[in-house]
Every structure is written in structure tokens, then in C-alpha cells.
Amino acid sequence: MRQTSPFRKTMALVSEDGGISNRQLGIIGTGNFARALAKRCILSGYTVTIGSRRPSQRQLSAIDECLCDIELTTIADCIKENDLIILAIHAESYKDTLTSLAPMFSGKVVIDVSNREVPSRKQSNAEYLSTILPQAHIVKCFNVISAYIMDTEIAGGSRRVFVASDNLTAREQTSNLARDLGFVPVDLGVLASSRKIENFVLNLFPGWKVPLFLTFGIFNLWCLYIVYIYFVVKTAFRWDQLFVKVLNKPLCMTAITILALTFLPGNVAGLLQLYNGTKHKRFPKWIDNWLKVRKQFGIISFVLVFSHVIFSVLLLSPTYYRSWFQPVTITIPANLSSDLKLPMVSWMVWKGEAACLVGFIAFLILCFLALTSLPSIGESLNWREWRFVQSKLGYAALFLSVAHAMIMGIPGWIKAGPWKMFGSITFLSIQLPLVVLVLKLLLTVPCVSKRLRKIRRGWERNPTKTAPSSNRDISNEKYRALTSGCGCSNNKTQATNCCGAPNQSPDSKTLLPISNCDCSVV
């Protein structure tokens, strides 16, 4: 049964060569995502046909009046009328719904928008669909967009969509559709990348787990140490001051430690390159992972510093920061026996003003660093500007943070003596940042920085040790022959899956090894 609005019309555009290009597509499925996608396609100028297993039992206009101009028909008629099909049904229904209709999909572009409930490295839903519809051009796209974001413009969330297909033309057609719908397509190459696309939706802050866990551990260690020295060794505070006054101390100590951990891996990587004499030797995995989460460490450090600033403003009074203010004594003359003296604290001394100034400048720099980490601002910077902000200004913020801690701690170190100085929280908290600053200073020494710059530009101390062997045994490696002119021979990622066959004769073709790498592409 076919439901068609009397106002339905075919939308067409005039192409550059004067021909007519139909903007028409079909959607199989009548769920929330299918209806939201159909509505967005209509508003973007497309003619939409929705295919359903039971079209007579579906009333789209009763759900949303914007869908009144959509033709609701059977799945077979939807396939027959459209060359571009969006499959918006669950993967569990693929076999039962599509197997008998597989010949009708020959040569058509089928976009799979499904997601999995658990990650898989063996086969994605899109790859499974390609086994059911072998003659269709399967594309993975739109699965990272929710029905709510698809339906409204004010919803939050990324507008970036990933596109993967073994057919270059199908990828380009899907990318154009995504742009028409107001999304930003990202071409990830062959259909095998759909595994990464589907797993991407299932990730829950994958780059944040280790930084957050490490921050939590460091914060608790500092808390335990502060409780030990201020409540066990001596009673310096009351227990009712734990919530702000005492908590502010491990907060700032954790902040400067995490800030140091943000810049430390870059220095370690530079030292490893100097030691190896080449940039072509891979870093250990733990260094590689550490380098990838520097942004997360920096954001966590900024949040902690921001909290420390708020707590400090709340506590900024002579009662809490007595050593920052000038002591004043008011004397009342005695009538009979002795004078009555009332000690008071009035204005700041040099320690308070210097600590506030240096800390405030460091905080402003960290605010600027945090702003440039936003994609909308970071994309407006060129490489030199971005490096200046994230590297030079970042080290300036770390240096000023150390100076802030030293201004607060040095008078106490002198008063307490050398042995008690080593147990001071200000002294202990700046040790790792000082190591980072010393390493950076070492790498900026002209003779060292010149050597490191040469290495990063390709110079090698012992080229024979890092050069690939020309006698490498390739008898056990699988190769796929790529026919020139196939449209993908210039893309190694696409080439491994879209051309030729493993047993093909090389002749005048290009040979590329088939990679089994499981690196993330999302």
C-alpha cells in the first residue's frame, strides 16, 4: 500500500552542464532516527521515500506534520525508485528483511547507519551488510549522529560524520549528502574502517581514563601527606577547616604536579631522540601513550588551578594568610597597672603581594592556553602560533607557578631550617616541575638544540642501523595487486582492500602489503 501526499513533488537541481540532477533518496525504516533523517533531508531539498514492511499501519504525518510530504511505501518499491538508499533498521533484521530483495540492490548505494552494542574487531555491521548485499555499494555513515541532533539545530554534540566505503564514488556521494544536511564529512577510506567508526560510538572518554585516574591518585597522596604533617605530627588546623582551608593545599599541589606531567613527556621524547640519534626509531609504548594525553593533563591542571584560585579568594584574609599581611599593634594606655595591647594585621607585605601577582599572571596564561585548546580557536592559529602558545607560554606558566610556590615557601624554609625544609609541602610540590624546567633548559642549550633539530629534520647518527634491510624476507607476507587507474592507487589505506586479488600476477601493477594494524583511525 502506498501513501502519497497530494502536494508531493520531485525536487531537482540544474547541474553545471545544464542537465537535471535529481535529489532523491529512499530510507528503509520508520523509527525515530529514520523519521528525523527524513525530516532533515526534506528541509535540505531532497525528495524522500520511506520503505516499511507494513506501510498501511504507519501514519508519519500523525507523528510529525513535517513528514506529510513523504511517500510511504513498501521496501521493494522504495528500492526500485531510488539509487541512494539509507538503511535505518537494526542489524539483527538485515538478513530477514533484505535477503530476498538482494538482487534489487545491484549497483545502488546503501548507507548503513546502525550501531553495535559491544565493540568488535572482526566484522562491523556494514561489512556484515556487504555479505548480504554483495552487488550494492555499502557505505558507513551517520551512525555517530543521534536522532535528537538530526532533528534539531540547537542540540549539542559534534556535527562531524565519518564516511567509509570500498567505492570511491559512493563515498563522495555520501559526503555530498552529509554536507547538504549540515554535517562535516570525514573520509576514512575503505569499508574496513567501519569497525573503528562503530567502536567510536561505544567509547566513553577513552583518552581521559588514565589522566583522571592518575590525578585522583596524586591528589589522595598529597591529602594523606597533609593530614599527616598538619594533624598527626602537629595540630596546625582544626578538623572543621578540612573543607576549604586544608583542601586548598592538596588542590594546588596536585595542580602543579599535573601541569609538570603535561610537559615532561616532550622532554623525555627529546632525550630519547638524542640517545637514539634518529627520529625513525619508535618511542616505547608508554611514552607514545603519554604524549597523546598531554591535552587531557593540561585541561585537568587548569581545572585544578581554577578551583585553587576560587578557594584562595574565599580565604584571602589576615586570619588565614597571616604571613601575607603587615602586623600592627594597637596600644591602650593603662590607668592603673599596665598597657593593653591589641595585635592587628592591616596591609599586605611583599610576600603576599608578590605571590598574588605571580600567581595571577600564571593563571591568566593558563586561561589563554585553555582557550586555544578549543577547536574553534585552535583552528584559527597557524602551526607557529599554536606551538608558541602551547609550548613557550606553557613553560612560562609552569615557571611562574614554581615561582609562586617558592615565594610562599622560602620564608618558611629559612625560618624552619634545612632539615624541616625537605618536609615542607611547597618544597616537595615543586620538585617535579623543577626537573621539567631543568630538562627543558638542557634541551635549549645551543649545541643540544642544534643536534635535536637536525635529528627531527631527518639526520641520523648511524643510518645503517635504522635503515630497512633490503634483504627482508617477504615470502610470508600477503600482497595485493593494484591496477593503475582504479581510482585508489594513490591511497595506500584504500588500496589494500579495494583493488585486485591476492593471487593476481603483478605485471604492471603496484604491490602493497596488506596491513593488519589495529591503530585507531577515529
Side-chain angles (χ1 to χ4, degrees):
M1 179 178 179
R2 189 185 292 261
Q3 298 179 17
T4 308
S5 168
F7 302 103
R8 176 178 169 82
K9 58 183 179 180
T10 301
M11 297 184 182
L13 292 180
V14 179
S15 60
E16 294 181 357
D17 57 0
I20 301 298
S21 175
N22 290 329
R23 293 162 64 89
Q24 181 175 328
L25 57 85
I27 300 176
I28 298 178
T30 56
N32 293 335
F33 188 86
R35 295 195 304 270
L37 181 58
K39 180 179 177 181
R40 196 174 188 99
C41 289
I42 290 175
L43 297 177
S44 300
Y46 282 83
T47 300
V48 180
T49 302
I50 291 184
S52 172
R53 288 172 292 185
R54 294 179 292 274
S56 60
Q57 303 177 16
R58 300 287 187 265
Q59 294 292 333
L60 298 179
S61 59
I63 301 174
D64 191 334
E65 61 181 9
C66 293
L67 302 178
C68 62
D69 199 31
I70 292 181
E71 179 182 1
L72 181 61
T73 182
T74 63
I75 294 178
D77 289 339
C78 180
I79 299 170
K80 187 184 302 182
E81 295 177 1
N82 299 278
D83 293 327
L84 176 60
I85 309 293
I86 299 178
L87 195 59
I89 60 177
H90 293 287
E92 295 81 9
S93 304
Y94 285 174
K95 188 173 182 180
D96 296 337
T97 305
L98 304 175
T99 301
S100 60
L101 303 173
M104 300 181 63
F105 284 94
S106 178
K108 297 182 182 291
V109 177
V110 180
I111 302 176
D112 172 39
V113 300
S114 67
N115 278 315
R116 306 179 64 91
E117 295 183 357
V118 293
S120 175
R121 293 185 177 183
K122 295 182 179 180
Q123 187 182 53
S124 66
N125 290 345
E127 291 174 306
Y128 170 61
L129 179 62
S130 67
T131 63
I132 298 176
L133 307 176
Q135 298 178 344
H137 303 304
I138 307 299
V139 184
K140 188 71 184 184
C141 190
F142 298 118
N143 66 304
V144 298
I145 301 297
S146 67
Y148 181 65
I149 294 178
M150 187 70 71
D151 189 48
T152 178
E153 290 291 341
I154 63 174
S158 174
R159 293 312 196 261
R160 182 179 61 172
V161 296
F162 305 108
V163 184
S165 175
D166 289 335
N167 185 276
L168 179 60
T169 303
R171 287 204 309 272
E172 292 177 347
Q173 187 175 357
T174 305
S175 297
N176 290 333
L177 172 63
R179 294 187 189 95
D180 291 340
L181 299 185
F183 299 109
V184 180
V186 179
D187 191 340
L188 294 186
V190 295
L191 193 62
S193 299
S194 60
R195 304 174 196 174
K196 307 296 182 181
I197 299 176
E198 293 177 5
N199 291 342
F200 175 79
V201 183
L202 301 175
N203 290 332
L204 182 62
F205 303 112
W208 288 89
K209 294 178 181 178
V210 173
L212 288 174
F213 179 79
L214 188 60
T215 301
F216 181 76
I218 293 173
F219 178 77
N220 281 285
L221 288 176
W222 284 126
C223 283
L224 291 175
Y225 183 72
I226 286 174
V227 168
Y228 172 73
I229 63 173
Y230 288 123
F231 291 93
V232 178
V233 176
K234 62 179 180 179
T235 304
F237 301 104
R238 301 193 311 267
W239 287 100
D240 57 357
Q241 294 179 304
L242 280 173
F243 305 103
V244 179
K245 173 62 177 176
V246 177
L247 185 63
N248 193 31
K249 296 182 181 297
L251 206 59
C252 64
M253 296 165 71
T254 306
I256 195 172
T257 304
I258 297 300
L259 185 61
L261 291 176
T262 305
F263 297 99
L264 182 57
N267 293 328
V268 174
L271 293 176
L272 286 175
Q273 288 180 333
L274 289 172
Y275 176 78
N276 295 326
T278 179
K279 70 172 184 178
H280 300 294
K281 185 175 181 179
R282 295 204 59 169
F283 296 130
K285 190 173 182 179
W286 61 275
I287 285 289
D288 191 43
N289 293 333
W290 194 357
L291 289 167
K292 293 176 181 178
V293 295
R294 287 180 294 178
K295 179 178 179 179
Q296 286 84 342
F297 276 122
I299 294 175
I300 292 173
S301 175
F302 172 74
V303 172
L304 294 174
V305 169
F306 189 79
S307 303
H308 170 62
V309 170
I310 294 177
F311 278 28
S312 299
V313 170
L314 294 175
L315 298 171
L316 192 59
S317 68
T319 304
Y320 283 104
Y321 292 95
R322 184 173 298 273
S323 64
W324 286 28
F325 293 85
Q326 177 69 39
V328 176
T329 301
I330 298 177
T331 303
I332 299 177
N335 294 326
L336 298 176
S337 56
S338 61
D339 294 342
L340 179 62
K341 297 181 180 181
L342 301 176
M344 296 184 64
V345 182
S346 55
W347 58 85
M348 276 190 180
V349 296
W350 71 269
K351 174 183 174 181
E353 293 201 1
C356 287
L357 176 62
V358 175
F360 182 70
I361 296 175
F363 177 64
L364 285 181
I365 295 176
L366 287 175
C367 289
F368 187 62
L369 289 172
L371 287 175
T372 56
S373 67
L374 298 175
S376 58
I377 297 179
E379 290 175 358
S380 65
L381 304 177
N382 61 37
W383 169 245
R384 185 177 182 183
E385 293 168 341
W386 186 88
R387 187 179 179 185
F388 172 80
V389 172
Q390 296 295 329
S391 180
K392 291 183 172 56
L393 289 184
Y395 276 104
L398 182 62
F399 174 79
L400 291 173
S401 299
V402 172
H404 172 72
M406 293 182 67
I407 291 172
M408 296 184 63
I410 287 178
W413 302 348
I414 298 174
K415 183 178 179 180
W419 293 110
K420 290 186 178 181
M421 176 186 71
F422 295 119
S424 169
I425 59 173
T426 52
F427 180 82
L428 293 176
S429 63
I430 65 172
Q431 296 310 302
L432 183 60
L434 284 175
V435 170
V436 175
L437 292 174
V438 170
L439 289 177
K440 181 61 178 178
L441 183 62
L442 176 64
L443 293 176
T444 55
V445 174
C447 59
V448 178
S449 62
K450 184 179 179 180
R451 174 62 63 89
L452 186 58
R453 191 181 304 111
K454 287 176 59 178
I455 291 174
R456 290 176 174 173
R457 291 181 178 179
W459 178 84
E460 296 177 89
R461 185 169 56 239
N462 297 311
T464 56
K465 289 186 178 181
T466 56
S469 174
S470 59
N471 298 323
R472 180 166 57 95
D473 183 14
I474 62 173
S475 59
N476 294 325
E477 293 191 13
K478 294 181 180 179
Y479 280 77
R480 183 161 295 176
L482 309 181
T483 305
S484 58
C486 66
C488 60
S489 57
N490 293 328
N491 189 321
K492 294 185 179 180
T493 305
Q494 302 168 13
T496 56
N497 285 319
C498 74
C499 300
N503 297 325
Q504 231 173 343
S505 174
D507 295 333
S508 60
K509 304 181 179 74
T510 303
L511 291 178
L512 288 176
I514 301 175
S515 173
N516 293 320
C517 176
D518 192 43
C519 299
S520 175
V521 296
V522 179

